[in-house]
Amino acid sequence: MCGDATNWDEDAYRETVLKERQIKTRTVFRTAWAPPYTPIIDTLLVASSDGSVASYSIAPSMLNNPFYFVNADTDELSAQPNCFVQAHDGPAYDVKFYGDGEDALMLSCGDDGRIRGWRWKEFSSSNYFVSSQGNDIKPVLDMVNPQHKGPWGALSPIPENNAIAVNTQAGSVFAASGDSCAYCWDVESGKVKMVFKGHMDYLHCIVARNSSNQIITGSEDGTARIWDCKSGKCTQVIDPAKDLKLKGFASWVGCVALDASESWLACSSGRNISLWNLPALECVSKIPTHACVQDMLFDNNQLLTVGTDPLLNRFDMNGTILSQIQCAPSSSFSISLHSAGVMAVGGYGCLVDVISQFGSHMCTFRCQ
Amino acid sequence: MEDGEIEEGSIGGVEEEEQSSEPRKSEESPYEILRNSKASVENIVAQILSIKKEGKPKQLLRDLVTQMFLHFITLRQANRSILLEEDRVKTETERAKAPVDLTTLQLHNLMYEKSHYVKAIKACKDFKSKYPDIDLVPEDEFFRDAPQDIQDSVFSNDAAHNLMLKRLNFELFQRKELCKLHEKLEQQKKVLLETIANRNKFLTSLPSHLKSLKKASLPVQNQLGLHHTKRLKQHHSAELLPPALYVIYSQLLAQKEAFGEPIDLEIIGSLKDAQAFARQQAHKDTDISTTVESSKLDDDGPDEEEEGQRRRKRPRRVQAKENLDQGGIFQVHPLKIIIHVYGDEASRPKSAKLITLRFEYLVKLNVVCVGIEGSNDGPENDILCNLFPNDTGLELPHQSAKLFVQDAITFNTQRTSRPYKWAQHLAGIDFLPEVSPLLITDNSGAAKKESVISGLSLYRQQNRVPTVLQRIRARRKAQLTLLEQLESLTKLEWPRLSYKGVPWALHSPLCNLDSWSPVRLPPVPRESSSSPAIIDKEEHVQEPMDTDVNEHSGATKAETESITEDGELPSLLPNMSKPDHSTQLNLISKTIVPPLNKIRSQSFKKFDDNSDFLLDTESDLDEPAQTEEEHENILSNYHAKKSVSWMDHGLKEFCLVLCRKISAYESNVNLEAKIKISMEYPLRPPLFALSIHCISSGGNHDEPGLEWYNELRAMEAEVNLHILKMLPVNQQNYVLAHQVSCLATLFDYYLDEASPSSERTNCTSVVDVGLCKPVTGRFLGRSFRGRDRRKMISWKDMKLNSICPQ
């Protein structure tokens, strides 16, 4: 602990108290399982609101409480990352992998409007030192959102990137940006290939529908749009909350998800989820939720959602709830699914909860 | 042939004759005769033989035979005469022998006599005198100093011997003189002793005189402000303090005298008891080898006495002590130190008294306890706890004491004074020897003394006294200012901010301070203490009864469990704890309730049928409130399992509601903040947990809390963390006021921005901050940003601006 009557350092103690609080107010914005996707559960990447991207190995020894729920307020859960990089100034919002296996790129985007890429091999082989602050690995890719010119040549602030999606075949990275545009970046050249303009407010999320060379974006303006990557035109505007909006309720598309066949789209808007059949372009079902949905994804024919309450919900395609699992973060921003069925939920309080496919908590830890 | 026989016989006879006549040889005549006759016999025999051989007539033989017989006779005669002669010689020899014997005897006598004399001579020669070396005065000195009569006297012819005798005489003379002198001196001494005794008597009577004088002078002393007498008394009793308390006393006194530290020290307790205690301690420690039993018996006497003394003051506690075997464990040293701590403001010469502490020493546990004098608050209001991190005072500070107590893990909760770690540090328990100082023998004492000295120098280096005093003052002041702030909040007034250097101090809040109420803590802290402690506590409250303690503890356990599940408050505990049938029944009914709850909740489950899909059976769809309840149940159970952390000790919890009327909806928005104020305030600033409620005019509650979730978290982060960095150090004590007004400012800001009017769409315009054209005459900017849709808060130039907090 920090001193007693024999060696009292009040300032240092105050620092530690504040540091502790700082960690508890941090948010994990994205968790991602690292390739190679072997059945052995190994490494979890965590992007959090202090702009760091860190990897944690989910070794069996870390499984501190296999079957019990952990109370994040009282327990000491801190975990040491394996690898750590200070990726962004401001929060890091998303982490994705570009490619597979050893030569995969780890891409991250953040509030500073950058998309940065590291060689996964290089990153995972580096060791974490507290002193280096994670600046010792150089990114191989560094792309900055363009700034808008205003009157008299004034430049706007760099808009942030809220989410990224990849298309490995075309060699492009799609970014959902804060200036209400989506950008398509060329990985080879690091240049913008295409700009998708049309949303009325900043973009929350983006997914790539690679089978038909489309991207789908969700925005603060309450709509989701389907864009054609060839032409850069919006082919479809999905307004899940059309009727609600008239009543003046705030709604935004916080996250979108595509299923594996890329024919089903889930769209969150506020406290509702709408499920769309893409070939038919019609809304199949609307699911009301108790809390705002902040991330979701498809697990075969089921939909996993997390939001502003500490629950992980599992819906079937009809919108009936299958299960609710208590999870550690009181507000979750990310759910990621390992191919083995293990789920990682990350959110407020810098907490990550790893849940097995059967709903038991494999481990819960607080990032540093 | 007959002849031949005879001859043969005769021949044999002759031969015998010859042999027997042989002694005659010595005597001439008989031996001559013997020989001659033998020869003649031989001749005759030879003749006979020749006759026989030659066959001569036998007549010759006859003659020869007679002749031979004659010879035989002579032989016999000679033989006899020889024997007679022999007899005669024998008697003669006999006669001659007697004188020889006599003379031999005489010889022996003489020889014996001689050896005796030789021995006597040797003994005389070896004789050592009784005083082998009387250190006589040397000869020359003798000749010089000895009186003439001694020198001249003659005792013996031998000159040397004479000299010796003279010297001896001189010696004797001298010694006699000295004896006389000794006697004289002895007498003198007696006289002197008598005078000394007289003077002594005077001296012994003197203190009483002085005392009366002193008593007479006391009013004068008081008048003049000199506390000479009092201090002396204190010093005297300080000597009887146990080492730990002595260190506290001496170090604090030194601090006071050297640096003018505004504190006052006092030692209370009866001196007589302390003396008796010290003596008893010394006695006990010396014959520690005797059986423990007897020593325990010994203890009982003084203990009882002490108890009796304390009974007057705190009768309840004493009873508890008697009930428990531990009574002796918590035995307190009769002397205690009282310390008055004054404020250290330099402006006033003697600033107000901040706090009065009482240090006492638990003899058996070797532990120093501190309490606040004159306060009987429960552990919740114990402002000394967590003075330093992780120091609740509930646990015994060192392992040996813990081992000693064994069954009662936590410290007796009912005591007003507690064994904080800082008190042990202040007392230097870490380097003091465990034995009482009276017992330290010289050789082992030296080493120990050294270790104590080095320990004390370390003690001073670490500035323990100033650190602790500074912390106590800071804590007290913080608590006072906190009280002040709480008071104004209880009156529902915005707390005054004297410091205007922060933006929220200038903001006049649009929202109302709707309510401020203390929250009773969930019964966590009590439960966490183990069951023995609870028993302990209860027995303080109860009458001492002959109940079985085990049964009792079972009852309390059940009770506490039921309380957890019901979420009932712990204050009911002591009242209900009479172990009679009514409470038993009570218990049963209580414990039955939660299962019923559960059954109900399970029966309401919608998906019981397709339970194969159900991964988590605890959750319930249709009733989210139910889910939360369950969740809280899980949490509280979890709490009960885990021991409560030290930070929650002495935690105060309040509920603050800020209310703002929104004209557009004609509804009220309530911002509810649960504020946890730890005892470490302001080092550990109050922690706000926010939730929001909409109360529309119809009175139905809406819960936008989950939509607002991320905003609330951002506000929390701002209030709990970020604004703390903007406060200067001297405003730390007012951090609660700052937090509350900052919260109000933020609440206003959020409501203004989020008011669901037509402006909203403008607010979230496409163009980024600084580039849009003002449409409504207001400066517009993006109000949300990022995946968490958080408001951008920045404090720029004393005004609220938009940025991105981390």
Side-chain angles (χ1 to χ4, degrees):
Chain A
M1 262 331 277
C2 197
D4 48 20
T6 57
N7 52 340
W8 178 237
D9 186 350
E10 192 168 308
D11 293 331
Y13 181 60
R14 186 177 286 131
E15 279 298 303
T16 55
V17 170
L18 293 184
K19 187 96 193 284
E20 214 170 274
R21 283 206 177 165
Q22 197 164 8
I23 288 174
K24 286 195 181 173
T25 55
R26 244 185 245 161
T27 307
V28 169
F29 278 116
R30 183 65 74 194
T31 54
W33 295 101
Y37 293 106
T38 50
I40 304 158
I41 301 157
D42 39 19
T43 308
L44 186 68
L45 279 173
V46 172
S48 56
S49 62
D50 61 346
S52 68
V53 175
S55 77
Y56 294 84
S57 83
I58 312 295
S61 61
M62 257 187 82
L63 306 180
N64 42 9
N65 52 334
F67 300 110
Y68 297 105
F69 181 69
V70 183
N71 184 4
D73 294 335
T74 54
D75 290 337
E76 195 54 50
L77 300 168
S78 306
Q80 281 286 332
N82 290 345
C83 318
F84 179 90
V85 67
Q86 186 65 41
H88 297 279
D89 302 325
Y93 286 129
D94 205 352
V95 168
K96 281 262 159 48
F97 281 96
Y98 179 87
D100 257 332
E102 289 205 327
D103 34 283
L105 282 180
M106 180 185 83
L107 300 174
S108 78
C109 67
D111 204 56
D112 57 356
R114 289 169 183 276
I115 300 171
R116 288 180 155 184
W118 288 266
R119 286 197 196 287
W120 172 239
K121 197 179 169 188
E122 219 172 289
F123 178 75
S124 56
S125 58
S126 72
N127 283 322
Y128 171 61
F129 297 111
V130 183
S131 56
S132 69
Q133 292 296 319
N135 290 326
D136 47 354
I137 334 164
K138 291 276 166 289
V140 292
L141 199 65
D142 199 345
M143 303 177 287
V144 193
N145 278 351
Q147 289 165 287
H148 297 265
K149 276 223 169 86
W152 302 298
L155 289 175
S156 75
I158 302 170
E160 80 275 11
N161 281 324
N162 285 322
I164 46 178
V166 294
N167 185 346
T168 4
Q169 281 169 331
S172 27
V173 176
F174 302 100
S177 178
D179 57 358
S180 69
C181 300
Y183 294 93
C184 172
W185 297 86
D186 186 48
V187 176
E188 295 297 322
S189 61
K191 296 261 160 47
V192 176
K193 280 204 285 196
M194 193 160 289
V195 183
F196 304 91
K197 274 187 190 164
H199 272 297
M200 304 296 289
D201 210 332
Y202 78 90
L203 303 189
H204 273 285
C205 51
I206 192 163
V207 288
R209 195 181 174 214
N210 293 333
S211 58
S212 51
N213 203 13
Q214 284 176 327
I215 57 167
I216 301 159
T217 57
S219 161
E220 174 72 16
D221 64 8
T223 60
R225 289 177 187 236
I226 304 175
W227 308 80
D228 184 40
C229 293
K230 259 192 203 134
S231 59
K233 294 273 172 354
C234 173
T235 57
Q236 184 76 33
V237 180
I238 297 169
D239 197 350
K242 209 182 277 168
D243 42 341
L244 281 173
K245 224 189 232 168
L246 296 174
K247 286 196 235 160
F249 271 107
S251 81
W252 64 97
V253 178
C255 51
V256 289
L258 270 178
D259 78 331
S261 66
E262 299 196 329
S263 56
W264 293 91
L265 174 73
C267 235
S268 83
S269 69
R271 293 203 209 173
N272 292 292
I273 302 167
S274 53
L275 209 59
W276 299 74
N277 187 313
L278 284 181
L281 268 177
E282 60 181 30
C283 181
V284 176
S285 60
K286 284 203 171 195
I287 311 165
T289 55
H290 180 239
C292 301
V293 177
Q294 295 185 133
D295 198 13
M296 58 187 173
L297 64 94
F298 276 98
D299 181 13
N300 293 327
N301 284 327
Q302 294 166 358
L303 188 62
L304 299 167
T305 70
V306 290
T308 52
D309 55 355
L311 289 174
L312 167 63
N313 300 302
R314 189 182 281 266
F315 297 94
D316 70 3
M317 297 301 264
N318 297 321
T320 45
I321 198 159
L322 297 178
S323 73
Q324 288 186 312
I325 300 166
Q326 194 78 40
C327 54
S330 50
S331 166
S332 311
F333 284 94
S334 163
I335 175 165
S336 52
L337 185 67
H338 193 273
S339 54
V342 177
M343 296 164 281
V345 177
Y348 184 71
C350 225
L351 285 167
V352 176
D353 203 350
V354 181
I355 301 169
S356 78
Q357 60 266 51
F358 308 112
S360 59
H361 293 263
M362 292 172 74
C363 72
T364 304
F365 60 91
R366 200 186 283 281
C367 308
Q368 282 189 327
Chain B
M1 285 312 279
E2 279 178 23
D3 293 344
E5 278 174 14
I6 293 166
E7 274 173 275
E8 271 180 18
S10 65
I11 290 166
V14 171
E15 278 169 359
E16 276 179 14
E17 197 71 18
E18 279 171 352
Q19 280 173 352
S20 62
S21 61
E22 258 179 307
R24 271 199 197 156
K25 280 174 194 168
S26 58
E27 234 182 71
E28 287 162 36
S29 49
Y31 286 107
E32 282 295 303
I33 298 164
L34 213 54
R35 196 175 304 133
N36 295 340
S37 44
K38 179 197 155 195
S40 44
V41 168
E42 278 171 355
N43 279 340
I44 295 167
V45 170
Q47 278 170 11
I48 294 172
L49 265 175
S50 60
I51 292 169
K52 282 254 182 156
K53 274 174 189 169
E54 288 160 14
K56 288 186 178 163
K58 287 200 179 178
Q59 290 87 357
L60 293 173
L61 281 180
R62 192 161 292 172
D63 196 25
L64 282 173
V65 169
T66 48
Q67 268 184 341
M68 202 151 68
F69 279 133
L70 278 175
H71 282 296
F72 280 144
I73 288 167
T74 46
L75 271 178
R76 291 201 70 156
Q77 194 189 345
N79 199 13
R80 179 181 291 134
S81 60
I82 286 169
L83 285 176
L84 283 177
E85 182 64 18
E86 210 180 288
D87 275 348
R88 193 188 49 84
V89 170
K90 264 183 189 167
T91 50
E92 238 170 63
T93 325
E94 209 65 32
R95 224 180 299 133
K97 225 175 172 178
V100 171
D101 281 349
L102 195 69
T103 44
T104 327
L105 206 61
Q106 269 174 345
L107 179 68
H108 276 293
N109 272 343
L110 288 173
M111 291 293 277
Y112 181 75
E113 219 169 319
K114 182 194 159 196
S115 73
H116 174 74
Y117 284 129
V118 168
K119 240 185 239 168
I121 289 165
K122 201 173 176 237
C124 284
K125 273 186 179 162
D126 289 350
F127 172 75
K128 284 209 171 100
S129 80
K130 195 178 176 186
Y131 312 102
D133 32 32
I134 305 169
D135 42 351
L136 297 168
V137 284
E139 271 181 52
D140 42 355
E141 207 171 310
F142 166 74
F143 285 122
R144 204 177 57 225
D145 296 343
Q148 207 56 46
D149 53 332
I150 292 179
Q151 277 197 33
D152 290 347
S153 58
V154 177
F155 298 96
S156 166
N157 320 338
D158 188 359
H161 186 60
N162 194 26
L163 178 64
M164 192 67 194
L165 284 174
K166 281 196 287 189
R167 283 173 67 191
L168 280 171
N169 267 341
F170 177 56
E171 191 69 32
L172 183 68
F173 168 76
Q174 270 185 331
R175 288 189 183 194
K176 271 180 183 164
E177 289 291 307
L178 285 174
C179 270
K180 261 181 226 158
L181 188 66
H182 171 77
E183 219 161 277
K184 215 159 73 186
L185 288 175
E186 200 63 39
Q187 210 132 20
Q188 215 168 337
K189 185 184 152 197
K190 207 182 265 174
V191 175
L192 284 175
L193 272 179
E194 247 162 58
T195 54
I196 287 170
N198 273 339
R199 286 181 189 176
N200 240 354
K201 213 183 271 171
F202 170 69
L203 277 178
T204 48
S205 67
L206 196 61
S208 60
H209 286 288
L210 285 177
K211 215 180 247 175
S212 59
L213 198 67
K214 215 159 71 174
K215 250 180 212 165
S217 80
L218 267 180
V220 186
Q221 278 191 28
N222 280 340
Q223 203 87 36
L224 297 175
L226 298 168
H227 298 290
H228 190 65
T229 333
K230 203 173 155 194
R231 195 179 302 164
L232 270 184
K233 213 185 223 167
Q234 295 282 314
H235 281 314
H236 181 57
S237 40
E239 280 166 19
L240 285 168
L241 284 173
L245 287 184
Y246 183 77
V247 168
I248 294 182
Y249 181 77
S250 59
Q251 295 297 322
L252 283 169
L253 195 67
Q255 181 76 13
K256 180 191 173 183
E257 281 171 0
F259 298 105
E261 192 78 42
I263 50 173
D264 266 346
L265 293 160
E266 223 181 294
I267 296 171
I268 58 164
S270 96
L271 270 182
K272 260 184 206 162
D273 281 0
Q275 271 158 349
F277 182 82
R279 236 173 285 132
Q280 175 208 337
Q281 195 77 10
H283 175 70
K284 191 167 44 180
D285 284 359
T286 43
D287 52 26
I288 206 148
S289 52
T290 58
T291 54
V292 184
E293 282 298 318
S294 71
S295 77
K296 268 200 178 159
L297 282 176
D298 282 344
D299 288 359
D300 281 354
D303 261 11
E304 217 87 90
E305 201 176 51
E306 230 175 85
E307 306 273 276
Q309 202 196 7
R310 225 175 303 139
R311 187 169 289 145
R312 269 170 272 141
K313 282 194 240 162
R314 294 166 279 188
R316 269 168 52 188
R317 200 165 303 152
V318 174
Q319 274 179 354
K321 278 197 165 186
E322 279 171 2
N323 280 352
L324 292 171
D325 278 354
Q326 306 181 343
I329 290 176
F330 293 113
Q331 189 190 351
V332 183
H333 192 274
L335 290 183
K336 300 175 183 72
I337 304 182
I338 299 280
I339 294 171
H340 308 278
V341 182
Y342 301 98
D344 53 356
E345 288 88 4
S347 54
R348 275 171 289 174
K350 192 106 181 175
S351 36
K353 186 192 281 187
L354 278 182
I355 197 168
T356 303
L357 302 178
R358 189 185 62 240
F359 287 84
E360 53 191 29
Y361 179 65
L362 298 191
V363 180
K364 293 274 171 64
L365 298 176
N366 187 25
V367 153
V368 175
C369 285
V370 198
I372 299 164
E373 183 74 357
S375 91
N376 284 314
D377 294 337
E380 286 83 12
N381 295 325
D382 170 22
I383 76 159
L384 294 177
C385 79
N386 289 340
L387 204 58
F388 296 93
N390 198 0
D391 192 4
T392 57
L394 284 176
E395 263 189 17
L396 286 166
H398 29 257
Q399 290 302 322
S400 59
K402 269 185 204 162
L403 279 179
F404 196 46
V405 181
Q406 273 177 2
D407 43 344
I409 298 155
T410 52
F411 197 70
N412 190 337
T413 47
Q414 202 63 24
R415 296 184 77 89
T416 49
S417 62
R418 318 201 145 275
Y420 302 107
K421 284 177 200 153
W422 60 264
Q424 320 309 317
H425 284 131
L426 200 63
I429 295 272
D430 40 346
F431 56 82
L432 279 181
E434 300 238 351
V435 225
S436 77
L438 297 173
L439 288 177
I440 294 176
T441 50
D442 291 329
N443 46 357
S444 72
K448 266 178 191 156
K449 213 172 174 186
E450 241 162 58
S451 79
V452 168
I453 284 169
S454 68
L456 271 177
S457 75
L458 186 68
Y459 181 105
R460 281 187 293 269
Q461 264 171 25
Q462 289 170 340
N463 279 336
R464 291 190 194 178
V465 170
T467 311
V468 169
L469 284 176
Q470 178 246 328
R471 287 294 296 140
I472 290 174
R473 282 204 187 98
R475 164 64 56 85
R476 182 68 181 161
K477 277 181 203 160
Q479 289 294 323
L480 287 176
T481 48
L482 178 64
L483 270 183
E484 196 181 294
Q485 292 164 57
L486 291 179
E487 219 164 85
S488 81
L489 283 170
T490 329
K491 285 188 227 151
L492 298 181
E493 290 166 3
W494 295 104
R496 250 170 8 91
L497 296 178
S498 53
Y499 178 70
K500 300 289 183 196
V502 282
W504 52 87
L506 303 173
H507 178 87
S508 51
L510 299 171
C511 51
N512 297 322
L513 196 61
D514 199 48
S515 85
W516 171 270
S517 53
V519 179
R520 294 301 296 265
L521 279 178
V524 177
R526 285 287 171 81
E527 269 165 280
S528 70
S529 57
S530 59
S531 57
I534 288 173
I535 296 168
D536 182 25
K537 189 188 74 186
E538 279 181 24
E539 290 194 351
H540 284 290
V541 182
Q542 280 174 12
E543 311 267 311
M545 275 188 266
D546 291 338
T547 49
D548 186 2
V549 176
N550 280 334
E551 179 198 9
H552 195 80
S553 77
T556 52
K557 256 188 192 166
E559 259 172 24
T560 50
E561 265 165 26
S562 73
I563 281 164
T564 353
E565 283 174 1
D566 281 355
E568 218 161 318
L569 295 175
S571 56
L572 292 175
L573 193 59
N575 301 335
M576 294 169 21
S577 54
K578 276 186 187 166
D580 54 13
H581 285 288
S582 66
T583 41
Q584 300 280 357
L585 286 175
N586 200 353
L587 281 179
I588 291 164
S589 66
K590 267 176 178 298
T591 44
I592 279 173
V593 177
L596 273 179
N597 253 337
K598 251 180 198 164
I599 291 161
R600 190 172 57 99
S601 72
Q602 269 163 359
S603 68
F604 272 118
K605 283 237 162 73
K606 203 176 165 186
F607 300 106
D608 267 357
D609 304 351
N610 40 357
S611 55
D612 45 343
F613 281 105
L614 265 174
L615 296 185
D616 184 16
T617 50
E618 282 295 337
S619 56
D620 199 332
L621 228 204
D622 273 15
E623 292 175 301
Q626 187 80 32
T627 318
E628 271 188 10
E629 214 174 88
E630 295 269 10
H631 173 210
E632 253 162 39
N633 262 350
I634 296 169
L635 278 190
S636 64
N637 284 343
Y638 190 80
H639 265 298
K641 263 185 267 162
K642 281 276 209 182
S643 66
V644 73
S645 85
W646 58 269
M647 287 177 248
D648 292 342
H649 189 75
L651 190 78
K652 287 186 200 120
E653 205 169 342
F654 295 94
C655 183
L656 167 77
V657 179
L658 294 181
C659 176
R660 174 102 183 260
K661 210 176 202 126
I662 294 175
S663 51
Y665 277 155
E666 295 199 342
S667 63
N668 285 332
V669 179
N670 281 356
L671 180 71
E672 192 181 302
K674 288 224 162 68
I675 307 171
K676 282 183 180 173
I677 305 175
S678 89
M679 202 37 94
E680 286 177 281
Y681 179 92
L683 254 186
R684 186 180 295 279
L687 189 70
F688 284 62
L690 305 177
S691 59
I692 204 159
H693 304 281
C694 251
I695 302 165
S696 59
S697 51
N700 46 341
H701 290 237
D702 187 17
E703 255 198 89
L706 291 167
E707 258 170 43
W708 274 69
Y709 195 88
N710 294 325
E711 276 100 29
L712 292 176
R713 298 293 87 75
M715 283 160 88
E716 274 175 14
E718 199 63 30
V719 167
N720 286 334
L721 181 66
H722 297 300
I723 70 158
L724 303 174
K725 294 168 184 164
M726 303 169 67
L727 280 180
V729 178
N730 62 353
Q731 289 294 311
Q732 287 294 338
N733 282 348
Y734 292 96
V735 66
L736 177 65
H738 281 283
Q739 282 177 311
V740 169
S741 49
C742 176
L743 183 66
T745 313
L746 288 174
F747 184 46
D748 285 348
Y749 167 72
Y750 271 82
L751 278 188
D752 284 348
E753 292 289 315
S755 58
S757 58
S758 54
E759 297 161 60
R760 195 188 160 269
T761 44
N762 292 336
C763 286
T764 59
S765 74
V766 171
V767 190
D768 257 303
V769 181
L771 291 179
C772 71
K773 289 187 183 105
V775 179
T776 57
R778 279 182 61 201
F779 189 76
L780 295 178
R782 285 178 61 190
S783 54
F784 296 109
R785 188 182 168 104
R787 286 193 58 214
D788 50 350
R789 299 183 79 244
R790 70 183 176 277
K791 277 275 198 341
M792 288 162 278
I793 313 160
S794 108
W795 312 99
K796 207 196 280 172
D797 290 339
M798 312 290 289
K799 278 180 82 180
L800 213 53
N801 266 321
S802 310
I803 54 104
C804 40
Q806 286 208 1

